[in-house]
């Protein structure tokens, strides 16, 4: 029987489990994940802001795996040997596979800044950031990195700690660089409305317990510093033998198969579509789910996988800390409290689709 390993319970892999629950393939299936609860990215800023409890923004993989006839194994991959088709886990176990599907996400980029390791908290893993938040009552918060995650996180933390002075520090000319002027203007207005300081065109040279030093000579007070400096590839892929892109992410073709090893599928942040690279975002990880599920089923059934073309523009919904959000797609931008309610309905609907218990358990507990 084919040994299929699903590595990581990321957004795309959820669709594989859902498809297998509908129609079980003739395969010996394992899901390897460090935690049974996998967070849903769209709701993370809402968890930080205090609108949701953590459980509401997580999908329990256990019932999903059970329905799919899949053995769930708690573990974290630390290496893949694609020649011998083996995965090594942090505990030392070695797992063989015939077919592998990787959806393990990205890791936060850790800038080489003195003091960052001691005094700054990366946005991921979100459980660690939440644990730090639960213990803190900061006077000054800084978020490094003005991408979508950084912008959402600084507004979420401002909402969580209204008395704290909040600063967003971006090396480029503007937050959300490359995402369109109308969206940049809307976000700029929202940050100004919330009295969040935005420092642009400045690189951080040192992070201390109570301050951040910039190459412009300026010092920003900060006793709670968060790194939202972008997505990096997991370093355990480096010696896997899989074809990787220049940044170390798994290179896949239009069928979501590795360009070097067709028995390996990859989707979500960990993968780069070689012909049409897309930004590392939850939206694209979700979009890749149905074609990933269909192609794994086809390969298991002895059929050729089909090409998938990722759409160029995706709807972006940015939470603004308070119950207010900004939507953008292509050239248009909409904002309002109703956009937050729309986003809330989409996000809750996504989690409920895979884990109907997520909301009710929270209500009970
Ligand atoms: C604060 C914040 C807010 C964000 N907001 C948005 C947003 O609003 N919209 C949006 O589109 N994107 C957003 N993003 C980006 C989004 O989180 C990612 O693009 C998305 O989660 C990628 O999905 P994925 O399926 O690739 O991986 P993930 O969702 O990261 O899932 C990976 C899974 O694999 C598991 N795993 C990790 N390493 C291993 C390993 N070594 N072995 C086994 N399992 C492993 C993890 O535990 C996890 O369950 C946000 C990111 C952050 C940090």
């Amino acid at each position: 029987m084919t040994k299929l390993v699903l590595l990581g319970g990321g957004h795309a892999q959820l669709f594989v489990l859902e498809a297998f629950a509908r129609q079980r393939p003739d395969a010996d299936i394992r899901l390897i994940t460090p935690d049974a609860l996998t967070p849903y990215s769209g709701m993370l800023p809402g968890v930080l802001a205090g609108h949701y409890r953590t459980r509401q923004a997580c999908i329990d993989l256990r019932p999903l795996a059970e329905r799919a006839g899949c053995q769930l194994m708690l573990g974290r991959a630390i290496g893949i040997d694609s020649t011998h088709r083996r995965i090594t886990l942090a505990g030392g176990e070695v797992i063989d596979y015939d077919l592998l599907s990787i959806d393990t996400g990205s890791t936060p980029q850790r800038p080489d800044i003195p003091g960052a390791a001691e005094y700054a908290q990366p946005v991921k893993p979100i459980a660690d950031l939440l644990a730090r938040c639960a213990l803190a009552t900061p006077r000054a918060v800084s978020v490094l990195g003005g991408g979508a995650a950084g912008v959402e996180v600084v507004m979420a933390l401002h909402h969580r700690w209204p008395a704290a002075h909040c600063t967003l520090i971006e090396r480029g000319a503007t937050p959300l660089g490359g995402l369109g002027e109308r969206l940049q203007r809307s976000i700029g207005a929202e940050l100004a409305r919330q009295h969040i300081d935005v420092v642009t065109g400045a690189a951080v040279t040192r992070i201390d317990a109570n301050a951040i030093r910039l190459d412009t000579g300026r010092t920003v007070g900060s006793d709670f510093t968060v790194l939202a400096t972008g997505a990096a590839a997991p370093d355990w892929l480096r010696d896997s033998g899989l074809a990787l892109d220049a940044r170390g992410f798994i290179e896949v073709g239009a069928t979501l198969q590795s360009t070097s090893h067709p028995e390996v599928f990859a989707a979500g942040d960990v993968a780069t579509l070689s012909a049409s690279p897309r930004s590392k975002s939850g939206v694209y990880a979700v979009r890749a789910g149905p074609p990933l599920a269909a192609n794994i089923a086809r390969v298991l059934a002895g059929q050729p996988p089909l090409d998938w073309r990722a759409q160029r523009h995706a709807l972006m919904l940015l939470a603004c800390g308070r119950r207010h959000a900004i939507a953008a797609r292509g050239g248009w931008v909409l904002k309002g409290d109703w956009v937050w309610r729309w986003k809330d309905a989409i996000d809750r609907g996504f989690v409920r689709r895979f884990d109907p218990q997520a909301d009710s358990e929270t209500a009970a507990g």
Side-chain angles (χ1 to χ4, degrees):
M1 201 185 272
T2 305
K3 283 188 224 158
L4 166 65
V5 174
L6 307 178
L7 185 59
H11 298 12
Q13 210 90 279
L14 298 171
F15 291 85
V16 179
L17 292 166
E18 185 188 58
F20 288 175
R22 272 198 309 270
Q23 188 168 7
R24 276 194 196 179
D26 188 22
D28 170 10
I29 316 165
R30 267 182 192 191
L31 168 66
I32 302 174
T33 170
D35 307 294
L37 293 178
T38 189
Y40 171 56
S41 60
M43 290 170 79
L44 295 181
V47 175
L48 284 174
H51 302 309
Y52 308 115
R53 295 196 208 168
T54 310
R55 178 65 184 95
Q56 267 177 298
C58 289
I59 291 157
D60 190 344
L61 295 167
R62 286 166 292 200
L64 205 52
E66 199 181 320
R67 285 199 297 277
C70 166
Q71 185 200 338
L72 186 135
M73 193 173 171
L74 291 182
R76 179 180 292 278
I78 54 163
I80 293 179
D81 173 351
S82 59
T83 305
H84 299 100
R85 300 185 181 177
R86 284 183 196 140
I87 302 160
T88 305
L89 304 186
E93 304 97 313
V94 175
I95 312 294
D96 295 327
Y97 65 85
D98 301 313
L99 196 60
L100 172 62
S101 172
I102 308 176
D103 181 10
T104 49
S106 49
T107 57
Q109 231 168 54
R110 289 175 187 265
D112 191 16
I113 302 168
E118 295 87 345
Y119 302 116
Q121 179 67 39
V123 278
K124 269 172 135 183
I126 194 77
D128 293 359
L129 177 59
L130 286 167
R132 282 282 312 275
C133 286
L135 298 174
T137 37
R139 291 198 318 198
V141 172
S142 289
V143 175
L144 272 52
V151 161
E152 283 192 301
V153 167
V154 77
M155 291 190 282
L157 294 179
H158 172 71
H159 188 79
R160 183 184 186 103
W161 296 308
H165 183 85
C166 291
T167 307
L168 180 68
I169 302 174
E170 162 58 34
R171 204 170 32 182
T174 172
L176 303 185
L179 284 181
E181 267 179 46
R182 291 187 67 190
L183 177 58
Q184 287 162 7
R185 271 202 305 276
S186 281
I187 279 292
E190 183 59 32
L191 291 165
R193 185 192 173 281
Q194 298 186 20
H195 304 291
I196 293 172
D197 268 350
V198 179
V199 179
T200 55
V204 174
T205 55
R206 175 165 194 91
I207 301 173
D208 291 321
N210 293 303
I212 292 174
R213 285 170 222 292
L214 305 176
D215 62 353
T216 54
R218 182 173 165 185
T219 297
V220 176
S222 178
D223 55 357
F224 195 92
T225 300
V226 178
L227 300 174
T229 36
D235 54 7
W236 50 265
L237 284 173
R238 213 173 292 145
D239 301 319
S240 64
L242 297 169
L244 306 177
D245 73 3
R247 294 166 63 200
F249 294 102
I250 302 170
E251 203 176 69
V252 296
T255 57
L256 297 171
Q257 286 164 294
S258 151
T259 52
S260 58
H261 294 74
E263 70 281 8
V264 177
F265 284 87
D269 278 6
V270 77
T272 296
L273 284 161
S274 55
S276 51
R278 297 287 181 262
S279 59
K280 304 286 176 202
S281 83
V283 176
Y284 286 112
V286 167
R287 295 276 168 181
L292 177 69
N295 277 347
I296 293 174
R298 288 180 71 86
V299 168
L300 285 172
Q303 296 165 344
L306 302 175
D307 283 358
W308 171 62
R309 190 184 284 267
Q311 65 194 82
R312 190 175 295 277
H313 297 296
L315 173 67
M316 200 168 189
L317 287 163
L318 294 171
C320 297
R322 62 197 171 108
R323 290 176 194 263
H324 186 90
I326 298 178
R329 188 186 162 123
W332 59 258
V333 174
L334 297 168
K335 55 187 168 179
D337 296 353
W338 69 271
V339 179
W340 192 89
R341 289 193 293 275
W342 177 34
K343 174 174 165 48
D344 175 62
I346 293 174
D347 289 343
R348 282 176 191 253
F350 183 85
V351 172
R352 205 180 308 121
R353 170 177 177 162
F354 298 103
D355 184 358
Q357 296 303 311
D359 250 348
S360 56
E361 279 186 20
T362 304

